[in-house]
């Protein structure tokens, strides 16, 4: 063995070790990457491809129509109504769910007696399936036998009784109330996790200095939760823009498309009207809308975070 070959041996070993150390993570990540490509990236790209076709999804007579579906979408009033309803749902999800969740998280974080039982009780709505919640509140809102109108009648408020899910002016608001009721526990737990890292010594020191609970919340706890708050805003916005199940169970998008969302409209277009090409156009537009609004929400939440 020559001197050059002898010196090259350690170099080869180092290269082999570096290659094996680089391959090991790739081998473990490969199944997850394959699943993401097959079940996420491919359907996303294929939906844009299908949006260029006129096809019922059953036969092989798909016809290329170019941007005809997109032109139709631009003039589709039902789609823009559903997009507006999605934005309203996202807005009220942030304005209603997050403040209530923060207050509950702070109260439960400070509670010493019975806090575990209260956490379980507050978390119960999230454990129920959306189908069960939808069927439950469909009966709660029933204009003839539902407890909402029965309670109003018991207090003599007969003029306040309504057809909550049958009135186009009330259907969306009624469903948004149920959506908030079901999802507040999730954000409550998220904020509780954020408060778990809040230093208790700082809390006690502020109390010794005479700070009130409201001052401690605004000056100490809320700034501590700014990162958690940004995450909660993004989750609430993205989740609201993709919402489907509860609306579909309670109203089906009605009455007269008053509670229609982009997801329910896409579902009805594909599986009721058998317009797979146009339904794929709606799905692709959903992706674009969700991405843009999520990016804007991220920018706004970051600016809000710097101002706290």
């Amino acid at each position: 063995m020559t001197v050059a070959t002898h010196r090259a041996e350690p170099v080869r070993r180092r290269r082999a070790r570096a290659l094996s150390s680089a391959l090991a993570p790739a081998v473990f990540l490969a199944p997850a990457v394959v699943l993401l490509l097959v079940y996420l990236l491919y359907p996303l790209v294929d939906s844009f491809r299908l949006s260029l076709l006129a096809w019922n999804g059953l036969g092989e007579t798909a016809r290329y129509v170019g941007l005809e579906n997109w032109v139709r979408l631009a003039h589709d009033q039902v789609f823009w109504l559903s997009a507006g309803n999605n934005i309203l749902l996202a807005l009220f999800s942030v304005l209603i769910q997050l403040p209530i969740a923060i207050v509950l998280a702070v109260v439960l974080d400070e509670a010493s007696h019975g806090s575990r039982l209260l956490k379980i009780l507050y978390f119960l709505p999230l454990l129920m399936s959306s189908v069960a919640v939808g069927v439950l509140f469909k009966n709660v809102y029933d204009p003839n036998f539902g407890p909402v109108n029965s309670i109003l009648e018991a207090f003599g408020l007969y003029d306040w009784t309504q057809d909550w899910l049958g009135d186009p002016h009330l259907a969306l608001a009624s469903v948004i109330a149920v959506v908030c009721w079901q999802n507040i526990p999730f954000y409550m737990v998220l904020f509780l996790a954020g408060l778990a890292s809040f230093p208790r010594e700082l809390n006690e020191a502020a109390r010794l200095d005479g700070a009130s609970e409201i001052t401690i919340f605004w000056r100490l706890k809320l700034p501590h939760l700014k990162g958690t708050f940004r995450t909660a805003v993004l989750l609430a916005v993205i989740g609201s823009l993709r919402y489907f199940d509860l609306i579909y169970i309670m109203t089906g998008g009605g009455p007269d498309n008053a509670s229609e969302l982009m997801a329910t409209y896409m579902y009805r277009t594909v599986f009721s009207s058998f317009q797979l090409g146009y339904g794929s156009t709606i799905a692709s537009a959903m992706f674009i809308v969700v991405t843009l609004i999520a990016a804007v929400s991220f920018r706004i939440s970051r600016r809000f975070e710097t101002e706290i």
Side-chain angles (χ1 to χ4, degrees), residues 91 95 131 133 195:
L91 180 64
L95 295 180
V131 174
V133 172
L195 288 172

Side-chain angles (χ1 to χ4, degrees), residues 272-294:
S272 297
S273 303
F274 296 102
Q275 301 178 51
L276 183 63
Y278 189 57
S280 299
T281 308
I282 299 172
S284 303
M286 274 183 62
F287 171 76
I288 296 172
V289 171
V290 170
T291 303
L292 291 176
I293 295 181

Side-chain angles (χ1 to χ4, degrees), residues 16-96:
R17 283 197 296 269
L19 182 61
S20 62
S21 62
L23 284 175
V27 170
F28 286 104
L29 288 173
V33 172
V34 170
L35 289 175
L36 287 174
L37 290 175
V38 172
Y39 292 104
L40 184 63
L41 185 61
Y42 171 73
L44 178 62
V45 174
D46 198 51
S47 68
F48 280 92
R49 181 186 69 84
L50 291 173
S51 70
L52 305 176
L53 305 176
W55 185 33
N56 61 9
L58 299 175
E60 298 181 357
T61 57
R63 180 169 55 90
Y64 178 79
V65 294
L67 298 177
E68 183 178 315
N69 286 329
W70 288 94
V71 174
R72 175 184 170 185
L73 184 74
H75 297 87
D76 191 342
Q77 294 183 357
V78 177
F79 172 77
W80 293 112
L81 173 64
S82 64
N85 289 340
N86 268 115
I87 293 174
L88 284 176
L89 178 58
L91 180 64
F92 283 105
S93 294
V94 172
L95 295 180
I96 296 175

Side-chain angles (χ1 to χ4, degrees), residues 1 149 175 304:
M1 182 181 293
N149 281 350
V175 176
F304 176 75

